[in-house]
Amino acid sequence: MQSTFFLALQHNSSQMETACFSCLDTAETPVKNKKSRPTSDEVNQWAQSFDKLLAHKYGQAAFRIFLKSEYCEENIEFWLACEEYKKIKSPVKLASKAKKIHKKFIWNEAPKEINLDYHTKEDIAQNLQQPTATCFNAAQKKVYSLMENNSYPRFLLSEIYQEICTISQGKSKYLKT
C-alpha cells in the first residue's frame, strides 16, 4: 500500500509549488518504517523550536520548500552542506569539499551566494588555505541565526505550515491515502 503526504500551495498567484512526501509500505519494510507522514505531535513540536524543525526530515523538507517560495533556499542548502562538511574526517576530502562549498555559496559570484559580510567571507578565504572542520562555523551561525530569527517565524505563520498541521490531523482536502 502506498501512502502519500501531499501538499500543494499556490505562490504569487501564478506559480504552483508542489511538495510530495511519500513512503511505500511494503511487506519487506520493517514496522518501524511504516510511518508515512509526521504525526500531529511532531508537527506541533516544529513550532516549539527551530532545532526540532531542522532535526525532522519532513520539517526540513517543508522549511526548504518555504524558503524556495521566498527565494532564499540557498540558506538551508548552505547550512546543510556545512553539517555534512563537519562529518568529513579525511583532510583531502575536507579540502575538496571546502572549495566546493566556497565556490557554490561564498564566492562573490557564487550560483547560490549567501548574504555574508566582507569580514566573514575573508576569514573563510583565509581558512581555505588549511581547511578544518570548523572553517565555516561563523558563516553557518550567521545563516542559522538569519533563518531562525527571520524565516522560521514566517514559516510558522505560512499557509504551508498551517496545511501541514491540518494534514497531520488527517483533515486536509489534499490528503490522499
Short mmCIF file of all heavy atoms in Angstrom, two decimals, residues 34-66:
data_model
loop_
_atom_site.label_atom_id
_atom_site.label_comp_id
_atom_site.label_asym_id
_atom_site.label_seq_id
_atom_site.Cartn_x
_atom_site.Cartn_y
_atom_site.Cartn_z
N LYS A 34 7.08 2.17 8.84
CA LYS A 34 5.78 2.26 8.18
C LYS A 34 5.14 3.64 8.30
O LYS A 34 4.18 3.92 7.62
CB LYS A 34 4.84 1.19 8.72
CG LYS A 34 5.16 -0.17 8.15
CD LYS A 34 4.04 -1.12 8.37
CE LYS A 34 4.35 -2.41 7.65
NZ LYS A 34 3.25 -3.31 7.65
N LYS A 35 5.64 4.49 9.16
CA LYS A 35 5.06 5.82 9.31
C LYS A 35 5.31 6.61 8.03
O LYS A 35 6.43 6.78 7.60
CB LYS A 35 5.70 6.52 10.51
CG LYS A 35 5.06 7.84 10.82
CD LYS A 35 5.50 8.37 12.14
CE LYS A 35 6.94 8.74 12.10
NZ LYS A 35 7.38 9.50 13.24
N SER A 36 4.23 7.08 7.42
CA SER A 36 4.37 7.74 6.13
C SER A 36 4.35 9.26 6.21
O SER A 36 4.68 9.92 5.25
CB SER A 36 3.27 7.26 5.19
OG SER A 36 2.02 7.63 5.71
N ARG A 37 3.96 9.79 7.33
CA ARG A 37 3.92 11.25 7.46
C ARG A 37 4.10 11.61 8.93
O ARG A 37 3.87 10.79 9.81
CB ARG A 37 2.64 11.82 6.89
CG ARG A 37 1.36 11.30 7.49
CD ARG A 37 0.17 11.90 6.76
NE ARG A 37 -1.03 11.11 6.92
CZ ARG A 37 -1.41 10.12 6.14
NH1 ARG A 37 -0.68 9.77 5.12
NH2 ARG A 37 -2.51 9.46 6.36
N PRO A 38 4.49 12.85 9.18
CA PRO A 38 4.70 13.25 10.58
C PRO A 38 3.38 13.25 11.36
O PRO A 38 2.33 13.56 10.81
CB PRO A 38 5.28 14.65 10.48
CG PRO A 38 4.96 15.13 9.12
CD PRO A 38 4.77 13.93 8.26
N THR A 39 3.48 12.91 12.62
CA THR A 39 2.29 12.94 13.47
C THR A 39 1.96 14.38 13.82
O THR A 39 2.79 15.29 13.67
CB THR A 39 2.54 12.16 14.78
OG1 THR A 39 3.55 12.86 15.53
CG2 THR A 39 2.93 10.73 14.51
N SER A 40 0.78 14.58 14.34
CA SER A 40 0.36 15.90 14.78
C SER A 40 1.30 16.43 15.87
O SER A 40 1.67 17.60 15.86
CB SER A 40 -1.07 15.84 15.28
OG SER A 40 -1.52 17.11 15.67
N ASP A 41 1.70 15.56 16.78
CA ASP A 41 2.63 15.96 17.85
C ASP A 41 3.97 16.41 17.28
O ASP A 41 4.54 17.41 17.72
CB ASP A 41 2.86 14.82 18.84
CG ASP A 41 1.67 14.60 19.75
OD1 ASP A 41 0.83 15.51 19.88
OD2 ASP A 41 1.59 13.50 20.35
N GLU A 42 4.48 15.66 16.29
CA GLU A 42 5.76 16.04 15.67
C GLU A 42 5.65 17.40 14.98
O GLU A 42 6.53 18.25 15.13
CB GLU A 42 6.20 14.98 14.66
CG GLU A 42 6.65 13.69 15.31
CD GLU A 42 6.87 12.57 14.31
OE1 GLU A 42 6.12 12.48 13.30
OE2 GLU A 42 7.79 11.77 14.55
N VAL A 43 4.59 17.60 14.24
CA VAL A 43 4.40 18.88 13.54
C VAL A 43 4.27 20.03 14.55
O VAL A 43 4.82 21.11 14.34
CB VAL A 43 3.18 18.81 12.59
CG1 VAL A 43 2.86 20.17 12.01
CG2 VAL A 43 3.44 17.80 11.48
N ASN A 44 3.56 19.79 15.65
CA ASN A 44 3.44 20.82 16.68
C ASN A 44 4.78 21.13 17.33
O ASN A 44 5.03 22.28 17.72
CB ASN A 44 2.41 20.40 17.74
CG ASN A 44 1.00 20.43 17.19
OD1 ASN A 44 0.69 21.18 16.26
ND2 ASN A 44 0.14 19.60 17.74
N GLN A 45 5.66 20.13 17.44
CA GLN A 45 6.98 20.35 18.02
C GLN A 45 7.83 21.27 17.14
O GLN A 45 8.70 21.98 17.65
CB GLN A 45 7.71 19.02 18.24
CG GLN A 45 7.18 18.25 19.41
CD GLN A 45 7.90 16.93 19.59
OE1 GLN A 45 8.92 16.65 18.96
NE2 GLN A 45 7.36 16.10 20.47
N TRP A 46 7.58 21.25 15.84
CA TRP A 46 8.33 22.13 14.95
C TRP A 46 8.14 23.59 15.34
O TRP A 46 9.03 24.41 15.13
CB TRP A 46 7.91 21.96 13.50
CG TRP A 46 8.08 20.59 12.94
CD1 TRP A 46 8.75 19.53 13.50
CD2 TRP A 46 7.57 20.11 11.71
NE1 TRP A 46 8.67 18.43 12.68
CE2 TRP A 46 7.96 18.76 11.57
CE3 TRP A 46 6.82 20.69 10.70
CZ2 TRP A 46 7.62 17.99 10.46
CZ3 TRP A 46 6.48 19.93 9.59
CH2 TRP A 46 6.88 18.60 9.48
N ALA A 47 6.98 23.91 15.89
CA ALA A 47 6.70 25.29 16.29
C ALA A 47 7.36 25.63 17.63
O ALA A 47 7.46 26.80 17.98
CB ALA A 47 5.19 25.52 16.39
N GLN A 48 7.83 24.63 18.35
CA GLN A 48 8.45 24.86 19.65
C GLN A 48 9.91 25.27 19.54
O GLN A 48 10.40 26.00 20.40
CB GLN A 48 8.31 23.62 20.54
CG GLN A 48 6.88 23.34 20.89
CD GLN A 48 6.73 22.02 21.62
OE1 GLN A 48 7.69 21.41 22.04
NE2 GLN A 48 5.48 21.57 21.75
N SER A 49 10.59 24.77 18.51
CA SER A 49 11.98 25.19 18.33
C SER A 49 12.43 24.96 16.89
O SER A 49 12.01 24.00 16.24
CB SER A 49 12.91 24.46 19.30
OG SER A 49 13.37 23.24 18.78
N PHE A 50 13.28 25.83 16.46
CA PHE A 50 13.85 25.74 15.12
C PHE A 50 14.68 24.46 14.98
O PHE A 50 14.66 23.81 13.94
CB PHE A 50 14.69 26.99 14.85
CG PHE A 50 15.20 27.11 13.44
CD1 PHE A 50 14.35 26.96 12.36
CD2 PHE A 50 16.53 27.38 13.21
CE1 PHE A 50 14.83 27.08 11.05
CE2 PHE A 50 17.01 27.51 11.91
CZ PHE A 50 16.16 27.35 10.84
N ASP A 51 15.38 24.09 16.05
CA ASP A 51 16.18 22.87 16.03
C ASP A 51 15.32 21.63 15.80
O ASP A 51 15.72 20.72 15.07
CB ASP A 51 16.97 22.70 17.33
CG ASP A 51 18.14 23.66 17.42
OD1 ASP A 51 18.69 24.04 16.37
OD2 ASP A 51 18.51 24.03 18.55
N LYS A 52 14.14 21.59 16.41
CA LYS A 52 13.24 20.45 16.21
C LYS A 52 12.76 20.38 14.77
O LYS A 52 12.61 19.30 14.22
CB LYS A 52 12.06 20.52 17.19
CG LYS A 52 12.48 20.21 18.61
CD LYS A 52 11.32 20.24 19.57
CE LYS A 52 11.83 19.95 20.98
NZ LYS A 52 10.77 19.93 21.96
N LEU A 53 12.50 21.52 14.17
CA LEU A 53 12.10 21.56 12.77
C LEU A 53 13.21 21.00 11.89
O LEU A 53 12.97 20.14 11.04
CB LEU A 53 11.77 23.00 12.35
CG LEU A 53 11.48 23.21 10.86
CD1 LEU A 53 10.13 22.62 10.48
CD2 LEU A 53 11.54 24.69 10.53
N LEU A 54 14.44 21.47 12.10
CA LEU A 54 15.56 21.04 11.27
C LEU A 54 15.94 19.57 11.51
O LEU A 54 16.48 18.93 10.62
CB LEU A 54 16.78 21.92 11.51
CG LEU A 54 16.65 23.37 11.03
CD1 LEU A 54 17.92 24.13 11.34
CD2 LEU A 54 16.33 23.44 9.55
N ALA A 55 15.64 19.06 12.68
CA ALA A 55 16.00 17.68 13.01
C ALA A 55 15.06 16.66 12.38
O ALA A 55 15.38 15.48 12.29
CB ALA A 55 16.03 17.49 14.52
N HIS A 56 13.89 17.10 11.93
CA HIS A 56 12.89 16.19 11.36
C HIS A 56 12.96 16.26 9.84
O HIS A 56 12.93 17.36 9.27
CB HIS A 56 11.49 16.60 11.85
CG HIS A 56 10.48 15.55 11.65
ND1 HIS A 56 9.91 15.31 10.42
CD2 HIS A 56 9.92 14.67 12.52
CE1 HIS A 56 9.03 14.33 10.53
NE2 HIS A 56 9.03 13.91 11.80
N LYS A 57 13.05 15.10 9.18
CA LYS A 57 13.23 15.13 7.72
C LYS A 57 12.08 15.82 7.00
O LYS A 57 12.31 16.55 6.03
CB LYS A 57 13.48 13.74 7.15
CG LYS A 57 12.30 12.79 7.15
CD LYS A 57 12.66 11.48 6.50
CE LYS A 57 11.46 10.57 6.43
NZ LYS A 57 11.76 9.33 5.73
N TYR A 58 10.84 15.63 7.44
CA TYR A 58 9.72 16.31 6.79
C TYR A 58 9.70 17.79 7.15
O TYR A 58 9.34 18.62 6.32
CB TYR A 58 8.39 15.65 7.17
CG TYR A 58 8.22 14.26 6.61
CD1 TYR A 58 7.99 13.18 7.44
CD2 TYR A 58 8.29 14.03 5.24
CE1 TYR A 58 7.83 11.91 6.93
CE2 TYR A 58 8.13 12.76 4.72
CZ TYR A 58 7.91 11.70 5.57
OH TYR A 58 7.75 10.45 5.05
N GLY A 59 10.06 18.12 8.37
CA GLY A 59 10.14 19.52 8.77
C GLY A 59 11.17 20.26 7.95
O GLY A 59 10.93 21.37 7.46
N GLN A 60 12.31 19.63 7.78
CA GLN A 60 13.39 20.21 6.99
C GLN A 60 12.94 20.40 5.53
O GLN A 60 13.20 21.45 4.92
CB GLN A 60 14.59 19.28 7.07
CG GLN A 60 15.89 19.90 6.67
CD GLN A 60 17.00 18.88 6.84
OE1 GLN A 60 17.35 18.23 5.86
NE2 GLN A 60 17.51 18.73 8.05
N ALA A 61 12.26 19.40 4.99
CA ALA A 61 11.78 19.49 3.60
C ALA A 61 10.73 20.59 3.45
O ALA A 61 10.76 21.36 2.48
CB ALA A 61 11.20 18.14 3.16
N ALA A 62 9.82 20.68 4.39
CA ALA A 62 8.78 21.72 4.33
C ALA A 62 9.40 23.11 4.45
O ALA A 62 9.02 24.04 3.72
CB ALA A 62 7.76 21.50 5.44
N PHE A 63 10.37 23.25 5.34
CA PHE A 63 11.04 24.54 5.52
C PHE A 63 11.81 24.91 4.26
O PHE A 63 11.80 26.07 3.83
CB PHE A 63 11.97 24.50 6.73
CG PHE A 63 12.55 25.82 7.10
CD1 PHE A 63 11.75 26.88 7.48
CD2 PHE A 63 13.93 26.02 7.09
CE1 PHE A 63 12.29 28.12 7.83
CE2 PHE A 63 14.48 27.24 7.43
CZ PHE A 63 13.66 28.29 7.80
N ARG A 64 12.43 23.93 3.63
CA ARG A 64 13.16 24.18 2.39
C ARG A 64 12.21 24.67 1.30
O ARG A 64 12.52 25.60 0.56
CB ARG A 64 13.87 22.90 1.95
CG ARG A 64 14.65 23.05 0.69
CD ARG A 64 15.28 21.73 0.29
NE ARG A 64 16.67 21.95 0.08
CZ ARG A 64 17.62 21.05 0.23
NH1 ARG A 64 17.32 19.85 0.62
NH2 ARG A 64 18.87 21.34 -0.01
N ILE A 65 11.04 24.05 1.20
CA ILE A 65 10.04 24.48 0.21
C ILE A 65 9.58 25.90 0.51
O ILE A 65 9.44 26.72 -0.40
CB ILE A 65 8.85 23.49 0.19
CG1 ILE A 65 9.30 22.16 -0.40
CG2 ILE A 65 7.66 24.06 -0.58
CD1 ILE A 65 8.37 21.01 -0.13
N PHE A 66 9.38 26.19 1.79
CA PHE A 66 9.00 27.55 2.17
C PHE A 66 10.09 28.54 1.78
O PHE A 66 9.79 29.60 1.20
CB PHE A 66 8.74 27.62 3.68
CG PHE A 66 8.53 29.02 4.17
CD1 PHE A 66 7.34 29.68 3.92
CD2 PHE A 66 9.52 29.69 4.86
CE1 PHE A 66 7.14 31.00 4.34
CE2 PHE A 66 9.34 30.99 5.29
CZ PHE A 66 8.14 31.64 5.03
#
